[in-house]
Amino acid sequence: MDDGESVRLRPVDVSDVEVFYLQENDPEALRRANWTARDRKAFFEHWERRVLGDSTVRVRAIVAGDELAGNIAAWWQDGRRLIGFWLGREFWGRGIGTRALSLFLAPGEEETRPLYAEAAVHNVASVRALKRHGFDELEVVEDGPDEFVVLKLG
């Protein structure tokens, strides 16, 4: 990250979701995350109902300098609290995800422990950032031809 570049979290505005949609549909981002993009309608419905419309989801916009860099969220799934983050490709390799994780895991933000994360095995940067914040690798799970690292904090 550039020394002069600040990273902060803020509440998500409905207008941010368009940027998140474009970020999620980047082919290289999809490959790294081992994710299949949703069509536009499904993406916006998911954000309206399952993210912004669910009071148990904690979601924040990641802002680098004055730019919307991505988002970070924690949600309940199958009795576990999970965390995930997504950055636009132009923000990769600058330490923004690592700083956003620090802010999100700080007192007053996401304090639920244990907290779980899953990342594609080949998404080395995300796995490294999670481990840097105290997440321990629990296992590697296979989902068809895909492999994911399951990590746990606390």
Side-chain angles (χ1 to χ4, degrees):
M1 184 170 67
D2 297 335
D3 290 346
E5 185 171 43
S6 65
V7 175
R8 64 185 173 85
L9 302 180
R10 65 163 171 74
V12 171
D13 186 87
V14 173
S15 64
D16 297 335
V17 179
E18 177 67 31
V19 175
F20 300 156
Y21 174 74
L22 296 172
Q23 290 172 339
E24 183 178 297
N25 278 276
D26 177 295
E28 179 59 16
L30 290 167
R31 186 194 69 73
R32 279 196 188 190
N34 206 14
W35 185 254
T36 302
R38 297 176 183 97
D39 68 39
R40 183 178 192 80
K41 182 180 179 195
F43 183 89
F44 280 86
E45 284 177 358
H46 172 79
W47 270 86
E48 181 181 333
R49 286 188 304 106
R50 304 277 315 268
V51 181
L52 298 175
D54 183 340
S55 63
T56 69
V57 173
R58 177 180 300 277
V59 61
R60 298 290 183 259
I62 302 169
V63 179
D66 294 325
E67 297 181 89
L68 180 58
N71 64 81
I72 188 166
W75 65 95
W76 290 101
Q77 182 176 315
D78 301 326
R80 297 187 317 171
R81 188 77 168 166
L82 285 112
I83 185 174
F85 55 96
W86 197 285
L87 293 175
R89 188 192 320 196
E90 64 272 28
F91 300 98
W92 295 354
R94 293 163 48 184
I96 294 167
T98 298
R99 180 69 180 130
L101 271 168
S102 293
L103 295 169
F104 194 74
L105 296 171
E109 278 288 341
E110 183 56 44
E111 296 180 330
T112 303
R113 303 295 185 269
L115 189 60
Y116 295 85
E118 297 176 0
V121 168
H122 61 263
N123 191 346
V124 177
S126 290
V127 172
R128 185 176 341 126
L130 290 160
K131 287 182 174 181
R132 194 174 289 151
H133 285 85
F135 282 79
D136 294 315
E137 185 174 325
L138 295 179
E139 63 182 331
V140 174
V141 296
E142 293 182 10
D143 183 11
D146 304 320
E147 292 184 319
F148 295 89
V149 179
V150 178
L151 304 109
K152 177 182 174 184
L153 177 66

